[in-house]
Amino acid sequence: MGPAPERFVNLKVRDLMLSNGSDWNRDLIQQILPQEEAIILSIKSGRSGAPDKLIWLGLSKLVCLPPTGVATGPLAPWILWSLWLARNNRLFINKIATPEEIISRAIAAAHEWLREQCTEPSNTKNTRVLRPSRDTDSSRLQTDAAWRADLQCAGLGWTII
């Protein structure tokens, strides 16, 4: 996806909605963003009356450039994660973060993630896994999750042993 055509540069979410403000304008979405239609239509519109500031221009597919120092991979997921954490902090512990703090945390998280991605193959020959002995009065929790992107549905499971 390249730069937005001039007539869509200032496109906002409300511009993709019908006049009632609660339903998506499918015809317009198919005309402007056909490759994003399924994702957009899966989003439920809010009723809070918050000001509309979001612009859809393929943010999740953009790759970061210096000076962030995150030369490989997108920064958008880290920004969204930092926004989510900032939202939770504001709601649950009344801590307000500035936009600069949110972006700084996103860049730091992206750096940390890239730094921890091991590219060297580990030498597993002659390696024995020793399991710690369990006390009879202890429990072990096992958890698993799966995501079905086609259904936008998650499944979670736990076992206590």
PDB file of all heavy atoms in Angstrom, residues 98-118:
ATOM      1  N   THR A  98       2.204  10.558  28.807  1.00  0.00           N
ATOM      2  CA  THR A  98       2.238  11.489  27.682  1.00  0.00           C
ATOM      3  C   THR A  98       2.454  10.719  26.391  1.00  0.00           C
ATOM      4  O   THR A  98       2.963   9.591  26.421  1.00  0.00           O
ATOM      5  CB  THR A  98       3.376  12.511  27.844  1.00  0.00           C
ATOM      6  OG1 THR A  98       4.624  11.815  27.756  1.00  0.00           O
ATOM      7  CG2 THR A  98       3.270  13.263  29.163  1.00  0.00           C
ATOM      8  N   PRO A  99       2.106  11.295  25.248  1.00  0.00           N
ATOM      9  CA  PRO A  99       2.385  10.621  23.977  1.00  0.00           C
ATOM     10  C   PRO A  99       3.871  10.289  23.815  1.00  0.00           C
ATOM     11  O   PRO A  99       4.218   9.228  23.286  1.00  0.00           O
ATOM     12  CB  PRO A  99       1.928  11.632  22.930  1.00  0.00           C
ATOM     13  CG  PRO A  99       0.884  12.446  23.623  1.00  0.00           C
ATOM     14  CD  PRO A  99       1.337  12.524  25.052  1.00  0.00           C
ATOM     15  N   GLU A 100       4.742  11.165  24.289  1.00  0.00           N
ATOM     16  CA  GLU A 100       6.179  10.918  24.185  1.00  0.00           C
ATOM     17  C   GLU A 100       6.595   9.682  24.986  1.00  0.00           C
ATOM     18  O   GLU A 100       7.400   8.875  24.537  1.00  0.00           O
ATOM     19  CB  GLU A 100       6.978  12.139  24.669  1.00  0.00           C
ATOM     20  CG  GLU A 100       6.844  13.354  23.783  1.00  0.00           C
ATOM     21  CD  GLU A 100       5.570  14.171  24.048  1.00  0.00           C
ATOM     22  OE1 GLU A 100       4.808  13.862  24.996  1.00  0.00           O
ATOM     23  OE2 GLU A 100       5.333  15.115  23.276  1.00  0.00           O
ATOM     24  N   GLU A 101       6.014   9.527  26.188  1.00  0.00           N
ATOM     25  CA  GLU A 101       6.318   8.351  27.014  1.00  0.00           C
ATOM     26  C   GLU A 101       5.824   7.070  26.337  1.00  0.00           C
ATOM     27  O   GLU A 101       6.512   6.049  26.343  1.00  0.00           O
ATOM     28  CB  GLU A 101       5.664   8.483  28.391  1.00  0.00           C
ATOM     29  CG  GLU A 101       6.261   9.548  29.270  1.00  0.00           C
ATOM     30  CD  GLU A 101       5.439   9.785  30.537  1.00  0.00           C
ATOM     31  OE1 GLU A 101       4.192   9.646  30.494  1.00  0.00           O
ATOM     32  OE2 GLU A 101       6.052  10.116  31.546  1.00  0.00           O
ATOM     33  N   ILE A 102       4.637   7.137  25.748  1.00  0.00           N
ATOM     34  CA  ILE A 102       4.064   5.965  25.090  1.00  0.00           C
ATOM     35  C   ILE A 102       4.933   5.529  23.912  1.00  0.00           C
ATOM     36  O   ILE A 102       5.254   4.346  23.765  1.00  0.00           O
ATOM     37  CB  ILE A 102       2.607   6.246  24.644  1.00  0.00           C
ATOM     38  CG1 ILE A 102       1.722   6.450  25.877  1.00  0.00           C
ATOM     39  CG2 ILE A 102       2.076   5.115  23.771  1.00  0.00           C
ATOM     40  CD1 ILE A 102       0.345   7.000  25.576  1.00  0.00           C
ATOM     41  N   ILE A 103       5.346   6.480  23.087  1.00  0.00           N
ATOM     42  CA  ILE A 103       6.192   6.149  21.937  1.00  0.00           C
ATOM     43  C   ILE A 103       7.556   5.643  22.397  1.00  0.00           C
ATOM     44  O   ILE A 103       8.093   4.681  21.845  1.00  0.00           O
ATOM     45  CB  ILE A 103       6.337   7.368  20.990  1.00  0.00           C
ATOM     46  CG1 ILE A 103       5.000   7.714  20.356  1.00  0.00           C
ATOM     47  CG2 ILE A 103       7.387   7.124  19.932  1.00  0.00           C
ATOM     48  CD1 ILE A 103       4.404   6.626  19.481  1.00  0.00           C
ATOM     49  N   SER A 104       8.113   6.269  23.428  1.00  0.00           N
ATOM     50  CA  SER A 104       9.413   5.818  23.946  1.00  0.00           C
ATOM     51  C   SER A 104       9.330   4.385  24.453  1.00  0.00           C
ATOM     52  O   SER A 104      10.227   3.577  24.203  1.00  0.00           O
ATOM     53  CB  SER A 104       9.884   6.737  25.076  1.00  0.00           C
ATOM     54  OG  SER A 104      10.164   8.013  24.585  1.00  0.00           O
ATOM     55  N   ARG A 105       8.249   4.073  25.148  1.00  0.00           N
ATOM     56  CA  ARG A 105       8.072   2.697  25.640  1.00  0.00           C
ATOM     57  C   ARG A 105       7.902   1.713  24.485  1.00  0.00           C
ATOM     58  O   ARG A 105       8.388   0.588  24.530  1.00  0.00           O
ATOM     59  CB  ARG A 105       6.879   2.626  26.581  1.00  0.00           C
ATOM     60  CG  ARG A 105       7.157   3.269  27.909  1.00  0.00           C
ATOM     61  CD  ARG A 105       6.013   3.062  28.890  1.00  0.00           C
ATOM     62  NE  ARG A 105       6.274   3.831  30.087  1.00  0.00           N
ATOM     63  CZ  ARG A 105       5.424   4.691  30.631  1.00  0.00           C
ATOM     64  NH1 ARG A 105       4.230   4.856  30.098  1.00  0.00           N
ATOM     65  NH2 ARG A 105       5.744   5.350  31.713  1.00  0.00           N
ATOM     66  N   ALA A 106       7.200   2.137  23.441  1.00  0.00           N
ATOM     67  CA  ALA A 106       7.014   1.273  22.272  1.00  0.00           C
ATOM     68  C   ALA A 106       8.355   0.988  21.604  1.00  0.00           C
ATOM     69  O   ALA A 106       8.650  -0.162  21.252  1.00  0.00           O
ATOM     70  CB  ALA A 106       6.054   1.921  21.280  1.00  0.00           C
ATOM     71  N   ILE A 107       9.168   2.005  21.425  1.00  0.00           N
ATOM     72  CA  ILE A 107      10.480   1.817  20.794  1.00  0.00           C
ATOM     73  C   ILE A 107      11.360   0.935  21.667  1.00  0.00           C
ATOM     74  O   ILE A 107      12.036   0.022  21.170  1.00  0.00           O
ATOM     75  CB  ILE A 107      11.138   3.182  20.508  1.00  0.00           C
ATOM     76  CG1 ILE A 107      10.342   3.924  19.429  1.00  0.00           C
ATOM     77  CG2 ILE A 107      12.596   3.013  20.083  1.00  0.00           C
ATOM     78  CD1 ILE A 107      10.751   5.365  19.234  1.00  0.00           C
ATOM     79  N   ALA A 108      11.340   1.164  22.988  1.00  0.00           N
ATOM     80  CA  ALA A 108      12.139   0.340  23.897  1.00  0.00           C
ATOM     81  C   ALA A 108      11.693  -1.118  23.844  1.00  0.00           C
ATOM     82  O   ALA A 108      12.525  -2.037  23.837  1.00  0.00           O
ATOM     83  CB  ALA A 108      12.036   0.887  25.321  1.00  0.00           C
ATOM     84  N   ALA A 109      10.381  -1.361  23.789  1.00  0.00           N
ATOM     85  CA  ALA A 109       9.870  -2.733  23.719  1.00  0.00           C
ATOM     86  C   ALA A 109      10.280  -3.400  22.410  1.00  0.00           C
ATOM     87  O   ALA A 109      10.648  -4.580  22.391  1.00  0.00           O
ATOM     88  CB  ALA A 109       8.345  -2.741  23.871  1.00  0.00           C
ATOM     89  N   ALA A 110      10.229  -2.651  21.308  1.00  0.00           N
ATOM     90  CA  ALA A 110      10.646  -3.206  20.019  1.00  0.00           C
ATOM     91  C   ALA A 110      12.125  -3.549  20.037  1.00  0.00           C
ATOM     92  O   ALA A 110      12.537  -4.611  19.547  1.00  0.00           O
ATOM     93  CB  ALA A 110      10.338  -2.210  18.894  1.00  0.00           C
ATOM     94  N   HIS A 111      12.948  -2.666  20.624  1.00  0.00           N
ATOM     95  CA  HIS A 111      14.383  -2.947  20.758  1.00  0.00           C
ATOM     96  C   HIS A 111      14.612  -4.213  21.578  1.00  0.00           C
ATOM     97  O   HIS A 111      15.414  -5.077  21.197  1.00  0.00           O
ATOM     98  CB  HIS A 111      15.108  -1.782  21.434  1.00  0.00           C
ATOM     99  CG  HIS A 111      15.447  -0.661  20.528  1.00  0.00           C
ATOM    100  ND1 HIS A 111      16.428  -0.741  19.570  1.00  0.00           N
ATOM    101  CD2 HIS A 111      14.936   0.588  20.432  1.00  0.00           C
ATOM    102  CE1 HIS A 111      16.504   0.412  18.927  1.00  0.00           C
ATOM    103  NE2 HIS A 111      15.596   1.231  19.421  1.00  0.00           N
ATOM    104  N   GLU A 112      13.922  -4.311  22.709  1.00  0.00           N
ATOM    105  CA  GLU A 112      14.080  -5.472  23.579  1.00  0.00           C
ATOM    106  C   GLU A 112      13.703  -6.760  22.841  1.00  0.00           C
ATOM    107  O   GLU A 112      14.402  -7.764  22.917  1.00  0.00           O
ATOM    108  CB  GLU A 112      13.223  -5.304  24.831  1.00  0.00           C
ATOM    109  CG  GLU A 112      13.327  -6.462  25.795  1.00  0.00           C
ATOM    110  CD  GLU A 112      12.430  -6.280  27.008  1.00  0.00           C
ATOM    111  OE1 GLU A 112      11.746  -5.251  27.113  1.00  0.00           O
ATOM    112  OE2 GLU A 112      12.422  -7.194  27.847  1.00  0.00           O
ATOM    113  N   TRP A 113      12.599  -6.726  22.123  1.00  0.00           N
ATOM    114  CA  TRP A 113      12.150  -7.897  21.376  1.00  0.00           C
ATOM    115  C   TRP A 113      13.184  -8.319  20.342  1.00  0.00           C
ATOM    116  O   TRP A 113      13.538  -9.494  20.239  1.00  0.00           O
ATOM    117  CB  TRP A 113      10.816  -7.605  20.709  1.00  0.00           C
ATOM    118  CG  TRP A 113      10.352  -8.708  19.808  1.00  0.00           C
ATOM    119  CD1 TRP A 113      10.469  -8.771  18.457  1.00  0.00           C
ATOM    120  CD2 TRP A 113       9.735  -9.931  20.201  1.00  0.00           C
ATOM    121  NE1 TRP A 113       9.947  -9.944  17.982  1.00  0.00           N
ATOM    122  CE2 TRP A 113       9.488 -10.687  19.028  1.00  0.00           C
ATOM    123  CE3 TRP A 113       9.363 -10.469  21.424  1.00  0.00           C
ATOM    124  CZ2 TRP A 113       8.904 -11.937  19.061  1.00  0.00           C
ATOM    125  CZ3 TRP A 113       8.759 -11.711  21.445  1.00  0.00           C
ATOM    126  CH2 TRP A 113       8.538 -12.426  20.270  1.00  0.00           C
ATOM    127  N   LEU A 114      13.667  -7.359  19.571  1.00  0.00           N
ATOM    128  CA  LEU A 114      14.655  -7.681  18.536  1.00  0.00           C
ATOM    129  C   LEU A 114      15.948  -8.209  19.144  1.00  0.00           C
ATOM    130  O   LEU A 114      16.562  -9.131  18.604  1.00  0.00           O
ATOM    131  CB  LEU A 114      14.941  -6.451  17.670  1.00  0.00           C
ATOM    132  CG  LEU A 114      13.798  -6.027  16.760  1.00  0.00           C
ATOM    133  CD1 LEU A 114      14.110  -4.679  16.116  1.00  0.00           C
ATOM    134  CD2 LEU A 114      13.525  -7.078  15.703  1.00  0.00           C
ATOM    135  N   ARG A 115      16.365  -7.636  20.262  1.00  0.00           N
ATOM    136  CA  ARG A 115      17.595  -8.055  20.926  1.00  0.00           C
ATOM    137  C   ARG A 115      17.488  -9.494  21.433  1.00  0.00           C
ATOM    138  O   ARG A 115      18.462 -10.245  21.425  1.00  0.00           O
ATOM    139  CB  ARG A 115      17.885  -7.091  22.078  1.00  0.00           C
ATOM    140  CG  ARG A 115      19.222  -7.243  22.716  1.00  0.00           C
ATOM    141  CD  ARG A 115      19.510  -6.165  23.761  1.00  0.00           C
ATOM    142  NE  ARG A 115      18.427  -5.945  24.718  1.00  0.00           N
ATOM    143  CZ  ARG A 115      17.678  -4.853  24.760  1.00  0.00           C
ATOM    144  NH1 ARG A 115      17.864  -3.868  23.906  1.00  0.00           N
ATOM    145  NH2 ARG A 115      16.717  -4.731  25.663  1.00  0.00           N
ATOM    146  N   GLU A 116      16.302  -9.904  21.853  1.00  0.00           N
ATOM    147  CA  GLU A 116      16.125 -11.237  22.436  1.00  0.00           C
ATOM    148  C   GLU A 116      15.852 -12.337  21.407  1.00  0.00           C
ATOM    149  O   GLU A 116      15.764 -13.503  21.779  1.00  0.00           O
ATOM    150  CB  GLU A 116      15.006 -11.213  23.476  1.00  0.00           C
ATOM    151  CG  GLU A 116      15.313 -10.343  24.678  1.00  0.00           C
ATOM    152  CD  GLU A 116      16.566 -10.799  25.414  1.00  0.00           C
ATOM    153  OE1 GLU A 116      16.786 -12.022  25.550  1.00  0.00           O
ATOM    154  OE2 GLU A 116      17.332  -9.929  25.860  1.00  0.00           O
ATOM    155  N   GLN A 117      15.690 -11.968  20.151  1.00  0.00           N
ATOM    156  CA  GLN A 117      15.450 -12.984  19.129  1.00  0.00           C
ATOM    157  C   GLN A 117      16.767 -13.679  18.813  1.00  0.00           C
ATOM    158  O   GLN A 117      17.670 -13.089  18.253  1.00  0.00           O
ATOM    159  CB  GLN A 117      14.842 -12.376  17.867  1.00  0.00           C
ATOM    160  CG  GLN A 117      13.512 -11.700  18.103  1.00  0.00           C
ATOM    161  CD  GLN A 117      12.546 -12.574  18.874  1.00  0.00           C
ATOM    162  OE1 GLN A 117      12.216 -13.668  18.441  1.00  0.00           O
ATOM    163  NE2 GLN A 117      12.099 -12.103  20.026  1.00  0.00           N
ATOM    164  N   CYS A 118      16.871 -14.918  19.197  1.00  0.00           N
ATOM    165  CA  CYS A 118      18.107 -15.678  19.040  1.00  0.00           C
ATOM    166  C   CYS A 118      18.218 -16.180  17.602  1.00  0.00           C
ATOM    167  O   CYS A 118      17.337 -16.865  17.102  1.00  0.00           O
ATOM    168  CB  CYS A 118      18.124 -16.858  20.009  1.00  0.00           C
ATOM    169  SG  CYS A 118      19.627 -17.833  19.920  1.00  0.00           S
TER     170      CYS A 118
END
